[in-house]
Amino acid sequence: MSLLSEVVTVLLNGLQQGAIYALLAVGLSIILGTLKFVNFAHGALYVIGTYTGLLVAHEVRLGGKLQQWGYSPIGLDWGFMAALVVVPLFVFVVGLAMERFIARPFYDRPDTDQILVTFGLAIIVQEAFRILFGSSSLPFDQPAWASGPVALPIVGNFSQWRLYVIAITAVLVLIVYVLVEYTDFGLVVRAGTRDAEMVRLLGIKITRPYIVVFGIGAALAGVAGVVGGPLNVVNPTVGTDILVPAFLTVVIGGVGSIVGAVLGGVLFGLTTATLVAFAPAWQQIGLYAIAAVILLTRPQGLLGN
């Protein structure tokens, strides 16, 4: 493999990894920037999306209590396209319930209280999946229509699914950006962020757009779980593993900035891919080092106000 081919391959791998980070970070950013709520259970939504997508798309053999109760193998086996439709809707509803019963009572509480309650919820979800599905990693097969390599100029053979992940992320992020920046709904949300009391005085019930924002952020985490499932192991700890990079992506991009979340995700993805290819032992250190440098030079993040 020539140097140019290797560089372009690393670039594409970085964009794919950055796409997963960006999907999670955009959801986190709009929740944190709009509702001022620190959601440490966002990784749990990723886990819910991954397992739900796996069970919708395939039939799988499980461990844990479900196997003991006679529910293995289990799954709808509807295919991957069905998972891409069902999972966002399901996790959106989960997000609505989380906002109503968990987040809303803590909006006026300190950040530490929000972190404790959502981190506790994340641990509960993780342990619930471990008990029900077992601790072993489960295979999440790529969709048949996107499996195998595709021939690209310079690079040669490259995974089709990685390209699909980049494309799906780009479409979803663009839709969310247009919704927040160019619609009446987005105008109400942004106005509520700046002066919620004034919005209420104008006769607008601000809790309604807030709950929808939380649901959208949750749905994006669910989609990230579905598209990322075939590229990573599926086990109850994947949400915890990806949560810290997702939060760092939000912080370095700028809290509340969708473009910043995407930029941070791409930067982290490219860093991860480069270090995996050339210095795998420095992968985690490199991410934290970049975050530290950016926050020391620009504490509000790359595109933060």
Side-chain angles (χ1 to χ4, degrees):
M1 180 182 290
S2 68
L3 178 60
L4 178 60
S5 174
E6 191 169 0
V7 168
V8 176
T9 300
V10 169
L11 176 63
L12 289 174
N13 285 330
L15 289 175
Q16 175 271 303
Q17 185 61 56
I20 302 296
Y21 289 151
L23 273 178
L24 282 164
V26 168
L28 267 174
S29 187
I30 61 175
I31 291 173
L32 184 55
T34 303
L35 282 64
K36 311 301 180 187
F37 184 78
V38 185
N39 183 21
F40 263 57
H42 207 68
L45 295 169
Y46 179 90
V47 172
I48 292 171
T50 301
Y51 274 92
T52 304
L54 178 63
L55 295 179
V56 171
H58 304 294
E59 185 178 60
V60 294
R61 293 189 176 277
L62 306 173
K65 291 294 184 181
L66 287 177
Q67 183 184 52
Q68 296 177 19
W69 295 337
Y71 292 103
S72 183
I74 188 174
L76 298 176
D77 200 21
W78 287 354
F80 207 90
M81 289 302 296
L84 283 176
V85 174
V86 172
V87 170
L89 296 175
F90 175 71
V91 184
F92 178 83
V93 173
V94 172
L96 299 184
M98 184 183 296
E99 193 278 340
R100 176 63 183 85
F101 298 107
I102 297 173
R104 192 177 300 178
F106 283 84
Y107 283 156
D108 297 326
R109 301 275 290 271
D111 291 349
T112 50
D113 291 358
Q114 298 174 2
I115 292 171
L116 286 173
V117 71
T118 53
F119 187 73
L121 178 62
I123 296 300
I124 290 171
V125 170
Q126 176 179 304
E127 289 305 300
F129 275 96
R130 185 185 63 79
I131 292 169
L132 292 173
F133 294 89
S135 301
S136 300
S137 297
L138 299 173
F140 196 151
D141 296 332
Q142 296 179 5
W145 43 268
S147 61
V150 60
L152 296 177
I154 302 176
V155 174
N157 290 334
F158 190 78
S159 168
Q160 285 190 69
W161 183 240
R162 292 182 183 272
L163 297 177
Y164 273 104
V165 170
I166 297 170
I168 291 170
T169 298
V171 171
L172 291 176
V173 169
L174 180 61
I175 291 172
V176 173
Y177 180 78
V178 171
L179 178 67
V180 172
E181 296 293 333
Y182 297 105
T183 65
D184 291 341
F185 169 81
L187 179 62
V188 171
V189 169
R190 286 182 282 117
T193 302
R194 291 176 173 83
D195 194 338
E197 187 62 30
M198 180 59 71
V199 173
R200 292 189 185 96
L201 290 174
L202 292 173
I204 299 173
K205 194 171 183 179
I206 196 66
T207 55
R208 290 175 180 172
Y210 277 5
I211 192 172
V212 173
V213 166
F214 205 104
I216 292 172
L220 290 175
V223 173
V226 176
V227 299
L231 298 171
N232 302 292
V233 297
V234 177
N235 61 49
T237 65
V238 290
T240 304
D241 296 338
I242 204 168
L243 180 64
V244 172
F247 258 102
L248 286 177
T249 301
V250 172
V251 173
I252 69 169
V255 174
S257 171
I258 295 176
V259 177
V262 174
L263 181 61
V266 171
L267 179 60
F268 265 15
L270 291 174
T271 301
T272 300
T274 302
L275 291 175
V276 166
F278 301 108
W282 292 85
Q283 177 184 347
Q284 294 297 326
I285 298 175
L287 292 181
Y288 290 111
I290 287 179
V293 170
I294 291 174
L295 294 178
L296 284 172
T297 56
R298 190 171 172 81
Q300 69 272 38
L302 294 172
L303 297 180
N305 296 320

